[in-house]
Amino acid sequence: MLSVVEGLLICIAVSQSILGVLGNGFIGFVNCIDCVKNKKVSMIDFILTGLAASRICLILIIIVDGFIRIFSPDMYSSGNLIDYISYLWVIINQSNIWFATSLSIFYFLRIADFSHHIFLWLKGRINRILPLLMGSLFISWLFTFPQVVKVLNDQKAENGNATWLFNEQKSAFFTKQILTSLGVILLSALFLITCFLLLISLWTHSRRMQLNVTGLQDSRSEAHRKAMTVLISFIILFLLYLTGIAIEIAYFTVPENKLLFIFGMTTTVVYPWGHSFILILGNSKLKQASLTALQRFKCYETRRLLPAAQTGMGRNGCSRRIIWRRRSP
């Protein structure tokens, strides 16, 4: 029987999951439509679409795994379900962090302003960075999968099944977790390093522009401040995600504390849905598409709830209003 706090946290996690699927689905849909119209796939569209798809899968696996552990833990006591969940988690989690790292590196090379020769060399070869990063993802998979297989086989040998209730020493358990998470740790470190370097570049550039606070310089300073706010939000959400994963791992050492696991699950889900909505607000194409979709939905609801005579508009009154707003300066 769940307590009130546990039930509340589960409701929050489910609500976050729904928002995350909708937000990331919207990002993927808009980018796919744009690629079809332009008949080409840009690097940023590929990264955003892959990031959205990996996050939808990540949200689903977090919620499914969480509900199994909370409501039906015996499902992990027999069969190979935990094997499949573990393999999917490795693929999806590392893919999600890889796409996030690729996005941070792309923005870092496009926006940052450094005079170091290594940075300038990388900036001139930005189109070659993505294939190299993809190679690092495959290397990370090749290193992680044998470690996961070894951990699962050892657990089966010790307990006769793949139960998620670990009975080994905590030091040995955390050592295995570090080995299986080494690829995630390296990608996360690269993500945070590029974000902090970009933040330093934006802050330095903003300080220089404060000497001139009128006209175009003032608008650029405001744009830099907004970019720094978005970047800080990215970093905070990503750290929350890593914290949530750490809490879920710590739960294995105290499996009787179900509240700890639910809190970790709720914390973990904050990142994939929160980051997606920040991306929508920070990307001009996604933001415009979201505003257009909201306006059309509002007009649809108006036409559905009120007759045309009461609204004082024709059947296509809302669509004409949208067109007029687009044409007006």
Side-chain angles (χ1 to χ4, degrees), residues 69 82 86 89 147-148 150-152 154-155 158-159 162-182 185 245-255 260-261:
R69 295 183 189 279
I82 192 172
S86 299
W89 170 254
Q147 297 294 329
V148 174
K150 184 177 183 302
V151 170
L152 293 174
D154 290 346
Q155 194 62 32
E158 292 176 8
N159 300 331
T163 180
W164 50 278
L165 298 176
F166 288 86
N167 298 317
E168 58 187 336
Q169 293 182 353
K170 292 183 180 181
S171 59
F173 171 71
F174 284 118
T175 300
K176 291 180 180 179
Q177 291 299 316
I178 291 174
L179 289 175
T180 55
S181 304
L182 191 58
I185 294 172
I245 293 177
I247 292 174
E248 291 189 36
I249 292 175
Y251 162 75
F252 287 105
T253 62
V254 283
L260 180 66
F261 175 78

Side-chain angles (χ1 to χ4, degrees), residues 98-117:
W98 180 85
F99 278 112
T101 303
S102 300
L103 183 65
S104 67
I105 291 175
F106 178 83
Y107 283 143
F108 171 67
L109 295 178
R110 289 291 298 270
I111 299 174
D113 184 19
F114 291 106
S115 58
H116 198 279
H117 64 277

Side-chain angles (χ1 to χ4, degrees), residues 183-196:
V184 171
I185 294 172
L186 294 176
L187 288 172
S188 301
L190 185 58
F191 171 84
L192 292 174
I193 289 172
T194 52
C195 284
F196 278 118

Side-chain angles (χ1 to χ4, degrees), residues 34-242:
D34 190 61
C35 292
V36 171
K37 288 182 179 179
N38 296 331
K39 296 181 179 179
K40 65 177 181 179
V41 181
S42 64
M43 182 185 295
I44 186 63
D45 287 338
F46 171 76
I47 293 174
L48 288 174
T49 304
L51 184 62
S54 66
R55 282 180 175 168
I56 291 175
C57 296
L58 182 68
I59 290 171
L60 294 177
I61 196 171
I62 289 174
I63 293 300
V64 170
D65 177 67
F67 271 61
I68 291 175
R69 295 183 189 279
I70 295 168
F71 298 107
S72 186
D74 293 337
M75 291 180 65
Y76 279 153
S77 299
S78 60
N80 297 320
L81 180 60
I82 192 172
D83 296 33
Y84 302 142
I85 294 290
S86 299
Y87 299 147
L88 283 175
W89 170 254
V90 169
I91 295 173
I92 294 171
N93 183 43
Q94 292 195 7
S95 298
N96 167 62
I97 297 179
W98 180 85
F99 278 112
T101 303
S102 300
L103 183 65
S104 67
I105 291 175
F106 178 83
Y107 283 143
F108 171 67
L109 295 178
R110 289 291 298 270
I111 299 174
D113 184 19
F114 291 106
S115 58
H116 198 279
H117 64 277
I118 295 179
F119 172 79
L120 297 176
W121 183 82
L122 292 173
K123 191 179 184 71
R125 293 161 177 80
I126 187 172
N127 293 326
R128 303 178 185 177
I129 299 298
L130 190 63
L132 293 176
L133 289 173
M134 189 171 292
S136 68
L137 177 63
F138 286 114
I139 293 173
S140 177
W141 283 345
L142 291 174
F143 178 81
T144 304
F145 270 108
Q147 297 294 329
V148 174
V149 171
K150 184 177 183 302
V151 170
L152 293 174
N153 289 337
D154 290 346
Q155 194 62 32
K156 289 180 181 180
E158 292 176 8
N159 300 331
N161 56 48
T163 180
W164 50 278
L165 298 176
F166 288 86
N167 298 317
E168 58 187 336
Q169 293 182 353
K170 292 183 180 181
S171 59
F173 171 71
F174 284 118
T175 300
K176 291 180 180 179
Q177 291 299 316
I178 291 174
L179 289 175
T180 55
S181 304
L182 191 58
V184 171
I185 294 172
L186 294 176
L187 288 172
S188 301
L190 185 58
F191 171 84
L192 292 174
I193 289 172
T194 52
C195 284
F196 278 118
L197 288 176
L198 180 55
L199 188 62
I200 292 172
S201 176
L202 289 171
W203 181 79
T204 304
H205 194 62
S206 180
R207 288 291 300 272
R208 288 200 301 261
M209 295 178 67
Q210 284 180 357
L211 299 175
N212 231 328
V213 294
T214 58
L216 183 61
Q217 295 296 325
D218 185 47
S219 63
R220 288 181 177 177
S221 298
E222 182 65 25
H224 278 73
R225 283 193 292 268
K226 289 181 179 180
M228 286 189 290
T229 302
V230 169
L231 197 56
I232 292 173
S233 302
F234 284 179
I235 296 173
I236 293 174
L237 288 174
F238 189 75
L239 291 176
L240 279 176
Y241 175 69
L242 297 180

Side-chain angles (χ1 to χ4, degrees), residues 2-17 63 67 70-71 247 257-270:
L2 295 177
S3 66
V4 176
V5 177
E6 291 172 346
L8 180 61
L9 288 176
I10 290 176
C11 291
I12 294 173
V14 172
S15 301
Q16 291 178 151
S17 301
I63 293 300
F67 271 61
I70 295 168
F71 298 107
I247 292 174
N257 191 347
K258 193 174 294 185
L259 178 61
L260 180 66
F261 175 78
I262 298 174
F263 178 73
M265 180 181 68
T266 306
T267 306
T268 304
V269 179
V270 172

